Amino acid sequence: LLAGTPLPMALGAAAPPVLVWRCRHPHGLFSMFSLALGHALTCEQNGWALVVDWSGQDLLYRGPPGEPNLWSAFFRQPAELSVPGDVLRSALSQGHYLETEKHEA
């Protein structure tokens, strides 16, 4: 998926490009939250949908049993504001997303 390439959605509407931010550095919880808000702002300004992934093995915190992504244990994904859940899950499972490791966000 190239930046700006829309994801297919129901009724002919196009979903925004999805950006996955995988936090990889062992920051404190509030630092991670602040970074996530910065990524959310950048995505909003660029018309992207953000998915926050706080499941990295090097992080100081872990999600509860059954939910390895700590962000999802506390919050809904920002992308859910602009992309229906089924479309988002499909995009993620099919690899139709960008990652901050490869692209600036």
Side-chain angles (χ1 to χ4, degrees), residues 67-99:
E67 181 52 73
N69 185 351
L70 185 62
W71 177 274
S72 294
F74 290 127
F75 314 106
R76 292 180 55 197
Q77 289 293 340
E80 294 179 52
L81 296 172
S82 58
V83 180
D86 58 332
V87 174
L88 182 59
R89 284 186 296 279
S90 176
L92 294 172
S93 69
Q94 295 176 21
H96 292 244
Y97 57 86
L98 305 169
E99 290 192 51

mmCIF file of all heavy atoms in Angstrom, residues 67-99:
data_model
loop_
_atom_site.group_PDB
_atom_site.id
_atom_site.type_symbol
_atom_site.label_atom_id
_atom_site.label_comp_id
_atom_site.label_asym_id
_atom_site.label_seq_id
_atom_site.Cartn_x
_atom_site.Cartn_y
_atom_site.Cartn_z
ATOM 1 N N GLU A 67 -4.904 -9.798 25.861
ATOM 2 C CA GLU A 67 -4.793 -8.531 25.127
ATOM 3 C C GLU A 67 -3.350 -8.045 25.210
ATOM 4 O O GLU A 67 -3.008 -7.251 26.082
ATOM 5 C CB GLU A 67 -5.744 -7.477 25.700
ATOM 6 C CG GLU A 67 -5.685 -6.142 24.969
ATOM 7 C CD GLU A 67 -5.849 -6.271 23.474
ATOM 8 O OE1 GLU A 67 -6.962 -6.538 23.034
ATOM 9 O OE2 GLU A 67 -4.847 -6.120 22.746
ATOM 10 N N PRO A 68 -2.494 -8.521 24.310
ATOM 11 C CA PRO A 68 -1.082 -8.132 24.386
ATOM 12 C C PRO A 68 -0.818 -6.655 24.108
ATOM 13 O O PRO A 68 0.181 -6.109 24.546
ATOM 14 C CB PRO A 68 -0.406 -9.017 23.337
ATOM 15 C CG PRO A 68 -1.497 -9.409 22.402
ATOM 16 C CD PRO A 68 -2.767 -9.429 23.207
ATOM 17 N N ASN A 69 -1.727 -6.000 23.382
ATOM 18 C CA ASN A 69 -1.554 -4.585 23.068
ATOM 19 C C ASN A 69 -2.126 -3.751 24.214
ATOM 20 O O ASN A 69 -3.343 -3.621 24.358
ATOM 21 C CB ASN A 69 -2.250 -4.249 21.749
ATOM 22 C CG ASN A 69 -2.009 -2.819 21.312
ATOM 23 O OD1 ASN A 69 -1.459 -2.003 22.040
ATOM 24 N ND2 ASN A 69 -2.434 -2.512 20.103
ATOM 25 N N LEU A 70 -1.248 -3.183 25.017
ATOM 26 C CA LEU A 70 -1.675 -2.412 26.172
ATOM 27 C C LEU A 70 -2.584 -1.252 25.783
ATOM 28 O O LEU A 70 -3.525 -0.918 26.503
ATOM 29 C CB LEU A 70 -0.461 -1.913 26.957
ATOM 30 C CG LEU A 70 -0.749 -1.183 28.262
ATOM 31 C CD1 LEU A 70 -1.465 -2.094 29.250
ATOM 32 C CD2 LEU A 70 0.542 -0.640 28.859
ATOM 33 N N TRP A 71 -2.325 -0.606 24.636
ATOM 34 C CA TRP A 71 -3.189 0.492 24.185
ATOM 35 C C TRP A 71 -4.630 0.010 24.082
ATOM 36 O O TRP A 71 -5.554 0.658 24.567
ATOM 37 C CB TRP A 71 -2.719 1.040 22.837
ATOM 38 C CG TRP A 71 -3.625 2.120 22.321
ATOM 39 C CD1 TRP A 71 -4.773 1.953 21.578
ATOM 40 C CD2 TRP A 71 -3.513 3.528 22.549
ATOM 41 N NE1 TRP A 71 -5.358 3.167 21.324
ATOM 42 C CE2 TRP A 71 -4.606 4.142 21.910
ATOM 43 C CE3 TRP A 71 -2.585 4.321 23.222
ATOM 44 C CZ2 TRP A 71 -4.805 5.522 21.922
ATOM 45 C CZ3 TRP A 71 -2.785 5.695 23.235
ATOM 46 C CH2 TRP A 71 -3.879 6.278 22.584
ATOM 47 N N SER A 72 -4.836 -1.136 23.447
ATOM 48 C CA SER A 72 -6.190 -1.654 23.247
ATOM 49 C C SER A 72 -6.853 -2.068 24.558
ATOM 50 O O SER A 72 -8.080 -2.137 24.629
ATOM 51 C CB SER A 72 -6.159 -2.837 22.281
ATOM 52 O OG SER A 72 -5.760 -2.400 20.998
ATOM 53 N N ALA A 73 -6.051 -2.349 25.579
ATOM 54 C CA ALA A 73 -6.621 -2.666 26.886
ATOM 55 C C ALA A 73 -7.227 -1.415 27.534
ATOM 56 O O ALA A 73 -8.186 -1.523 28.300
ATOM 57 C CB ALA A 73 -5.546 -3.263 27.797
ATOM 58 N N PHE A 74 -6.683 -0.248 27.224
ATOM 59 C CA PHE A 74 -7.159 1.003 27.816
ATOM 60 C C PHE A 74 -8.093 1.808 26.903
ATOM 61 O O PHE A 74 -9.018 2.460 27.375
ATOM 62 C CB PHE A 74 -5.982 1.919 28.170
ATOM 63 C CG PHE A 74 -5.153 1.453 29.316
ATOM 64 C CD1 PHE A 74 -3.787 1.319 29.172
ATOM 65 C CD2 PHE A 74 -5.715 1.156 30.546
ATOM 66 C CE1 PHE A 74 -2.997 0.906 30.232
ATOM 67 C CE2 PHE A 74 -4.947 0.737 31.616
ATOM 68 C CZ PHE A 74 -3.574 0.614 31.454
ATOM 69 N N PHE A 75 -7.796 1.803 25.593
ATOM 70 C CA PHE A 75 -8.456 2.724 24.668
ATOM 71 C C PHE A 75 -8.897 2.009 23.400
ATOM 72 O O PHE A 75 -8.382 0.956 23.059
ATOM 73 C CB PHE A 75 -7.492 3.847 24.244
ATOM 74 C CG PHE A 75 -6.733 4.469 25.362
ATOM 75 C CD1 PHE A 75 -5.392 4.198 25.546
ATOM 76 C CD2 PHE A 75 -7.360 5.351 26.243
ATOM 77 C CE1 PHE A 75 -4.670 4.782 26.573
ATOM 78 C CE2 PHE A 75 -6.653 5.932 27.279
ATOM 79 C CZ PHE A 75 -5.301 5.655 27.447
ATOM 80 N N ARG A 76 -9.800 2.649 22.665
ATOM 81 C CA ARG A 76 -10.091 2.218 21.297
ATOM 82 C C ARG A 76 -8.987 2.753 20.397
ATOM 83 O O ARG A 76 -8.335 3.734 20.710
ATOM 84 C CB ARG A 76 -11.442 2.767 20.852
ATOM 85 C CG ARG A 76 -12.594 2.130 21.613
ATOM 86 C CD ARG A 76 -13.923 2.658 21.173
ATOM 87 N NE ARG A 76 -14.087 2.492 19.730
ATOM 88 C CZ ARG A 76 -14.992 3.141 19.019
ATOM 89 N NH1 ARG A 76 -15.808 3.993 19.603
ATOM 90 N NH2 ARG A 76 -15.094 2.944 17.718
ATOM 91 N N GLN A 77 -8.819 2.127 19.260
ATOM 92 C CA GLN A 77 -7.820 2.596 18.308
ATOM 93 C C GLN A 77 -8.302 3.874 17.647
ATOM 94 O O GLN A 77 -9.475 3.980 17.253
ATOM 95 C CB GLN A 77 -7.543 1.529 17.241
ATOM 96 C CG GLN A 77 -6.795 0.333 17.756
ATOM 97 C CD GLN A 77 -5.379 0.678 18.176
ATOM 98 O OE1 GLN A 77 -4.802 1.692 17.772
ATOM 99 N NE2 GLN A 77 -4.792 -0.184 18.991
ATOM 100 N N PRO A 78 -7.425 4.877 17.499
ATOM 101 C CA PRO A 78 -7.829 6.113 16.812
ATOM 102 C C PRO A 78 -8.388 5.854 15.411
ATOM 103 O O PRO A 78 -9.299 6.560 14.973
ATOM 104 C CB PRO A 78 -6.535 6.926 16.752
ATOM 105 C CG PRO A 78 -5.718 6.416 17.897
ATOM 106 C CD PRO A 78 -6.056 4.952 18.013
ATOM 107 N N ALA A 79 -7.869 4.838 14.724
ATOM 108 C CA ALA A 79 -8.349 4.523 13.371
ATOM 109 C C ALA A 79 -9.830 4.181 13.346
ATOM 110 O O ALA A 79 -10.501 4.374 12.331
ATOM 111 C CB ALA A 79 -7.538 3.366 12.786
ATOM 112 N N GLU A 80 -10.358 3.707 14.480
ATOM 113 C CA GLU A 80 -11.769 3.329 14.542
ATOM 114 C C GLU A 80 -12.699 4.533 14.406
ATOM 115 O O GLU A 80 -13.902 4.365 14.176
ATOM 116 C CB GLU A 80 -12.054 2.586 15.836
ATOM 117 C CG GLU A 80 -11.356 1.245 15.914
ATOM 118 C CD GLU A 80 -11.623 0.533 17.229
ATOM 119 O OE1 GLU A 80 -12.808 0.397 17.600
ATOM 120 O OE2 GLU A 80 -10.644 0.138 17.874
ATOM 121 N N LEU A 81 -12.159 5.743 14.517
ATOM 122 C CA LEU A 81 -12.971 6.942 14.324
ATOM 123 C C LEU A 81 -13.306 7.177 12.855
ATOM 124 O O LEU A 81 -14.287 7.837 12.533
ATOM 125 C CB LEU A 81 -12.253 8.170 14.890
ATOM 126 C CG LEU A 81 -12.028 8.166 16.393
ATOM 127 C CD1 LEU A 81 -11.144 9.338 16.793
ATOM 128 C CD2 LEU A 81 -13.358 8.219 17.121
ATOM 129 N N SER A 82 -12.469 6.651 11.954
ATOM 130 C CA SER A 82 -12.679 6.916 10.533
ATOM 131 C C SER A 82 -12.787 5.660 9.672
ATOM 132 O O SER A 82 -13.120 5.761 8.492
ATOM 133 C CB SER A 82 -11.542 7.800 9.993
ATOM 134 O OG SER A 82 -10.295 7.170 10.197
ATOM 135 N N VAL A 83 -12.496 4.490 10.245
ATOM 136 C CA VAL A 83 -12.532 3.245 9.482
ATOM 137 C C VAL A 83 -13.391 2.237 10.248
ATOM 138 O O VAL A 83 -13.124 1.986 11.425
ATOM 139 C CB VAL A 83 -11.105 2.673 9.291
ATOM 140 C CG1 VAL A 83 -11.148 1.383 8.492
ATOM 141 C CG2 VAL A 83 -10.195 3.685 8.613
ATOM 142 N N PRO A 84 -14.405 1.654 9.594
ATOM 143 C CA PRO A 84 -15.207 0.631 10.272
ATOM 144 C C PRO A 84 -14.323 -0.533 10.751
ATOM 145 O O PRO A 84 -13.331 -0.883 10.105
ATOM 146 C CB PRO A 84 -16.180 0.160 9.195
ATOM 147 C CG PRO A 84 -16.247 1.279 8.217
ATOM 148 C CD PRO A 84 -14.880 1.918 8.239
ATOM 149 N N GLY A 85 -14.688 -1.115 11.880
ATOM 150 C CA GLY A 85 -13.887 -2.171 12.494
ATOM 151 C C GLY A 85 -13.573 -3.325 11.570
ATOM 152 O O GLY A 85 -12.434 -3.806 11.532
ATOM 153 N N ASP A 86 -14.550 -3.792 10.782
ATOM 154 C CA ASP A 86 -14.303 -4.926 9.894
ATOM 155 C C ASP A 86 -13.320 -4.562 8.789
ATOM 156 O O ASP A 86 -12.462 -5.364 8.415
ATOM 157 C CB ASP A 86 -15.602 -5.475 9.319
ATOM 158 C CG ASP A 86 -16.404 -4.447 8.533
ATOM 159 O OD1 ASP A 86 -16.295 -3.238 8.825
ATOM 160 O OD2 ASP A 86 -17.149 -4.853 7.617
ATOM 161 N N VAL A 87 -13.403 -3.344 8.285
ATOM 162 C CA VAL A 87 -12.477 -2.886 7.240
ATOM 163 C C VAL A 87 -11.067 -2.741 7.828
ATOM 164 O O VAL A 87 -10.078 -3.133 7.203
ATOM 165 C CB VAL A 87 -12.955 -1.554 6.619
ATOM 166 C CG1 VAL A 87 -11.927 -0.995 5.650
ATOM 167 C CG2 VAL A 87 -14.298 -1.745 5.936
ATOM 168 N N LEU A 88 -10.984 -2.212 9.045
ATOM 169 C CA LEU A 88 -9.691 -2.052 9.702
ATOM 170 C C LEU A 88 -9.041 -3.407 9.968
ATOM 171 O O LEU A 88 -7.863 -3.609 9.661
ATOM 172 C CB LEU A 88 -9.854 -1.270 10.999
ATOM 173 C CG LEU A 88 -8.589 -0.972 11.784
ATOM 174 C CD1 LEU A 88 -7.605 -0.169 10.938
ATOM 175 C CD2 LEU A 88 -8.931 -0.231 13.062
ATOM 176 N N ARG A 89 -9.797 -4.347 10.518
ATOM 177 C CA ARG A 89 -9.249 -5.693 10.782
ATOM 178 C C ARG A 89 -8.780 -6.353 9.498
ATOM 179 O O ARG A 89 -7.722 -6.989 9.461
ATOM 180 C CB ARG A 89 -10.288 -6.557 11.494
ATOM 181 C CG ARG A 89 -10.449 -6.221 12.969
ATOM 182 C CD ARG A 89 -11.369 -7.197 13.676
ATOM 183 N NE ARG A 89 -12.744 -7.144 13.178
ATOM 184 C CZ ARG A 89 -13.637 -6.237 13.540
ATOM 185 N NH1 ARG A 89 -13.322 -5.310 14.431
ATOM 186 N NH2 ARG A 89 -14.848 -6.261 13.033
ATOM 187 N N SER A 90 -9.536 -6.205 8.431
ATOM 188 C CA SER A 90 -9.166 -6.777 7.141
ATOM 189 C C SER A 90 -7.872 -6.146 6.617
ATOM 190 O O SER A 90 -6.970 -6.849 6.152
ATOM 191 C CB SER A 90 -10.296 -6.569 6.133
ATOM 192 O OG SER A 90 -9.925 -7.036 4.866
ATOM 193 N N ALA A 91 -7.777 -4.825 6.704
ATOM 194 C CA ALA A 91 -6.569 -4.128 6.236
ATOM 195 C C ALA A 91 -5.344 -4.599 7.016
ATOM 196 O O ALA A 91 -4.286 -4.870 6.431
ATOM 197 C CB ALA A 91 -6.736 -2.624 6.378
ATOM 198 N N LEU A 92 -5.483 -4.715 8.329
ATOM 199 C CA LEU A 92 -4.355 -5.138 9.153
ATOM 200 C C LEU A 92 -3.970 -6.580 8.875
ATOM 201 O O LEU A 92 -2.781 -6.905 8.775
ATOM 202 C CB LEU A 92 -4.680 -4.944 10.640
ATOM 203 C CG LEU A 92 -4.852 -3.493 11.081
ATOM 204 C CD1 LEU A 92 -5.357 -3.432 12.515
ATOM 205 C CD2 LEU A 92 -3.561 -2.711 10.922
ATOM 206 N N SER A 93 -4.946 -7.456 8.726
ATOM 207 C CA SER A 93 -4.632 -8.872 8.496
ATOM 208 C C SER A 93 -4.037 -9.105 7.110
ATOM 209 O O SER A 93 -3.277 -10.052 6.915
ATOM 210 C CB SER A 93 -5.871 -9.745 8.692
ATOM 211 O OG SER A 93 -6.820 -9.513 7.680
ATOM 212 N N GLN A 94 -4.353 -8.236 6.152
ATOM 213 C CA GLN A 94 -3.836 -8.375 4.791
ATOM 214 C C GLN A 94 -2.578 -7.547 4.537
ATOM 215 O O GLN A 94 -2.062 -7.515 3.429
ATOM 216 C CB GLN A 94 -4.920 -7.997 3.786
ATOM 217 C CG GLN A 94 -6.104 -8.926 3.809
ATOM 218 C CD GLN A 94 -7.195 -8.474 2.868
ATOM 219 O OE1 GLN A 94 -6.962 -7.709 1.927
ATOM 220 N NE2 GLN A 94 -8.404 -8.939 3.095
ATOM 221 N N GLY A 95 -2.096 -6.855 5.570
ATOM 222 C CA GLY A 95 -0.881 -6.061 5.417
ATOM 223 C C GLY A 95 -1.071 -4.762 4.656
ATOM 224 O O GLY A 95 -0.107 -4.207 4.126
ATOM 225 N N HIS A 96 -2.292 -4.235 4.609
ATOM 226 C CA HIS A 96 -2.571 -2.983 3.902
ATOM 227 C C HIS A 96 -2.417 -1.801 4.854
ATOM 228 O O HIS A 96 -3.391 -1.136 5.218
ATOM 229 C CB HIS A 96 -3.985 -2.992 3.323
ATOM 230 C CG HIS A 96 -4.164 -3.970 2.228
ATOM 231 N ND1 HIS A 96 -4.455 -3.599 0.948
ATOM 232 C CD2 HIS A 96 -4.074 -5.325 2.207
ATOM 233 C CE1 HIS A 96 -4.542 -4.678 0.185
ATOM 234 N NE2 HIS A 96 -4.313 -5.734 0.936
ATOM 235 N N TYR A 97 -1.193 -1.552 5.259
ATOM 236 C CA TYR A 97 -0.923 -0.452 6.180
ATOM 237 C C TYR A 97 0.541 -0.039 6.045
ATOM 238 O O TYR A 97 1.353 -0.753 5.474
ATOM 239 C CB TYR A 97 -1.232 -0.839 7.627
ATOM 240 C CG TYR A 97 -0.474 -2.049 8.110
ATOM 241 C CD1 TYR A 97 0.803 -1.935 8.648
ATOM 242 C CD2 TYR A 97 -1.023 -3.318 8.020
ATOM 243 C CE1 TYR A 97 1.510 -3.044 9.083
ATOM 244 C CE2 TYR A 97 -0.338 -4.430 8.450
ATOM 245 C CZ TYR A 97 0.934 -4.292 8.984
ATOM 246 O OH TYR A 97 1.632 -5.392 9.401
ATOM 247 N N LEU A 98 0.840 1.138 6.578
ATOM 248 C CA LEU A 98 2.201 1.647 6.646
ATOM 249 C C LEU A 98 2.643 1.539 8.089
ATOM 250 O O LEU A 98 1.818 1.530 9.006
ATOM 251 C CB LEU A 98 2.237 3.116 6.200
ATOM 252 C CG LEU A 98 1.654 3.425 4.833
ATOM 253 C CD1 LEU A 98 1.510 4.940 4.667
ATOM 254 C CD2 LEU A 98 2.519 2.845 3.751
ATOM 255 N N GLU A 99 3.946 1.479 8.322
ATOM 256 C CA GLU A 99 4.466 1.463 9.681
ATOM 257 C C GLU A 99 5.412 2.629 9.869
ATOM 258 O O GLU A 99 6.109 3.036 8.958
ATOM 259 C CB GLU A 99 5.217 0.161 9.957
ATOM 260 C CG GLU A 99 4.306 -1.032 10.046
ATOM 261 C CD GLU A 99 5.013 -2.239 10.603
ATOM 262 O OE1 GLU A 99 5.644 -2.138 11.671
ATOM 263 O OE2 GLU A 99 4.919 -3.285 9.937
#
